[in-house]
């Protein structure tokens, strides 16, 4: 599944997230790296900062932060497969001294309190079943001058039409999400945990080109994926993933979903 994903989407960037496009024809790889760049600015990430990449995927942001900024990054994920792939990529990129990858739950990391300058979460906070625990753990692991940055998809309004309900169900099913939350729910959880200076950027129009690219790739590979599943060659989750990849663009375009960056200070 991970090699398939790398070929299908992220290539060398290892990014399991949307990109921020500066113009419509910008190559996808640059859009994906722009997301990292935007978060670096929003979270004021500097050389030598200790960053906790909460929900690190296969290490894309962690390796990029270590190699381009010289940040000291701990990536955590609940997927043993991702962990192994992230470690292998860090070794290939020769950033082992600046990165470490651990199998941990971001709501209960077991890491020392006050031990990070930045809590970084790209498209991972949406998986938190308990938002309060997520926010409190982020607060706990951050040093007194710590910053938090989140980039994620949010529910902008309830689906209204039959199509919108279908797209939403297919998104949740294919990306194994229990729901999309409103940005205000996340802001409220952060404030309740003690975060201050909470800022929110609406990046929905910037992610549309990458959302469209994902939709196209899923639409074009739909029949091959279907055939692979019928022949028992592909995991059935790939089919549901494919449909979610088509639905996410429709939801963003219809304004049911939005994409936002949230930054805050401890
Ligand atoms: C869509 S991927 C994003 C990966 C990465 N942030 C990126 O942008 O490339 C979501 C990530 O969140 C992680 N995740 C989900 N729930 C988690 C939890 N409770 N604790 C730690 N990681 C979690 C998944 O394992 C996965 O790595």
């Amino acid at each position: 599944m991970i090699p398939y994903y790398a070929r299908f989407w992220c290539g060398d960037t290892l990014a399991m997230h949307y990109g921020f496009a500066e113009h419509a024809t910008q190559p996808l790889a640059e859009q994906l790296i722009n997301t990292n760049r935007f978060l670096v600015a929003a979270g004021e990430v500097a050389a030598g900062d200790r960053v906790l990449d909460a929900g690190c995927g296969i290490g894309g942001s962690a390796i990029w932060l270590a190699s381009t900024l010289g940040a000291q990054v701990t990536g955590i994920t609940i997927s043993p497969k991702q962990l192994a792939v992230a470690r292998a990529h860090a070794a290939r990129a020769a950033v082992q001294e600046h990165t470490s990858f651990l199998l941990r739950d971001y709501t209960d990391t077991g890491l020392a309190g006050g031990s990070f300058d930045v809590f970084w979460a790209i498209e991972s906070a949406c998986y938190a079943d308990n938002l309060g625990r997520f926010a409190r753990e982020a607060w706990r692991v951050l040093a007194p001058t710590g910053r938090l940055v989140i980039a994620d998809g949010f529910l902008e309004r309830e689906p209204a039409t039959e199509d919108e309900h279908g797209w939403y169900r297919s998104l949740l099913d294919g990306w194994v999400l229990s729901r999309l939350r409103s940005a205000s729910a996340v802001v409220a959880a952060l404030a309740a945990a003690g975060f201050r200076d909470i800022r929110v950027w609406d990046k929905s129009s910037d992610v549309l080109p990458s959302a469209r690219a994902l939709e196209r790739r899923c639409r074009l590979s739909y029949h091959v994926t279907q055939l692979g599943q019928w022949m028992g060659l592909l995991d059935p989750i790939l089919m549901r993933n494919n449909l979610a990849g088509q639905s996410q663009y429709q939801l963003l375009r219809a304004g049911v979903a939005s994409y936002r960056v949230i930054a805050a200070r401890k």
Side-chain angles (χ1 to χ4, degrees), residues 5 14-17 36 53-61 76-79 82 104-107 120-128:
Y5 183 84
L14 311 177
M16 299 173 78
H17 57 240
N36 289 336
D53 185 356
C56 63
I58 55 174
S61 296
I76 59 173
T77 173
I78 47 167
S79 159
Q82 290 179 359
R104 299 289 166 95
D105 183 333
Y106 51 40
T107 62
W120 172 289
I122 301 188
E123 294 169 34
S124 56
C126 55
Y127 288 99

